[in-house]
Structures are given as C-alpha cells and as structure tokens.
Amino acid sequence: MRTGSEPRTARSALRVRLWLSVWGLVWAIVGTAAFALVGRPGWAIACGVLWLVVTVDLAMILKHIRQGPHYQPGPDVPPYRPPEHRV
C-alpha cells in the first residue's frame, strides 16, 4: 500500500546492509594494510577513511536492529499508518 509518505517512512533491509557492511569492512581493512605495506600512503589513507565510514555505518545498522521490529519489520508488522494531514 502506498501512502505518499515513503521517503520519511521507508524501511531498509537491515540484515542485507549488515552483511554488505561486514564485507566492506573486511575489504577496507585488507586494503589499508596492503597499501600501507607496499608504500602507497595516499591509498592507505583512503582505505582507512573508508574503514571509518563503514564502521560508523555498521554501528548504526546494529543499533537499528537492536531497536526491534519498528526498524526491522517482519510479515507480522503492519505498514506505517498514512499521515492524518499533509503539511
């Protein structure tokens, strides 16, 4: 059911995002170490920054998963109610 409020009430597949973040974290760590070992400091720094971004994203995903069915809906969770009045 489309309500017109999807941008504000969209739900994300958090388990998929979790595994993609873990995959990105592994590659960012490997990239940081590999570029540091071969003497490419610019690329090592870029991978290190990516490592930080992925870690923050992973923390947010885990926080939302722990908050329960409001953020991780299942088939028994009804969709959000449509807004009563539009602004």
Side-chain angles (χ1 to χ4, degrees), residues 57-83:
D57 185 46
L58 194 56
M60 291 302 299
I61 292 167
L62 290 172
K63 176 185 170 200
H64 286 298
I65 287 173
R66 287 187 185 127
Q67 286 179 336
H70 180 71
Y71 287 100
Q72 185 62 34
D76 57 329
V77 178
Y80 287 102
R81 292 176 22 140

Side-chain angles (χ1 to χ4, degrees), residues 39-58:
R40 302 286 230 171
W43 284 104
I45 290 171
C47 286
V49 169
L50 182 62
W51 183 356
L52 178 65
V53 169
V54 171
T55 302
V56 170
D57 185 46
L58 194 56

Side-chain angles (χ1 to χ4, degrees):
M1 175 176 79
R2 294 187 59 89
T3 63
S5 65
E6 282 78 14
R8 288 182 303 172
T9 59
R11 296 177 179 183
S12 175
L14 292 175
R15 301 260 184 239
V16 173
R17 282 184 58 198
L18 173 73
W19 289 112
L20 287 173
S21 290
V22 168
W23 180 252
L25 183 67
V26 168
W27 277 105
I29 292 169
V30 169
T32 302
F35 285 123
L37 288 174
V38 297
R40 302 286 230 171
W43 284 104
I45 290 171
C47 286
V49 169
L50 182 62
W51 183 356
L52 178 65
V53 169
V54 171
T55 302
V56 170
D57 185 46
L58 194 56
M60 291 302 299
I61 292 167
L62 290 172
K63 176 185 170 200
H64 286 298
I65 287 173
R66 287 187 185 127
Q67 286 179 336
H70 180 71
Y71 287 100
Q72 185 62 34
D76 57 329
V77 178
Y80 287 102
R81 292 176 22 140
E84 298 298 325
H85 48 81
R86 293 190 171 198
V87 178

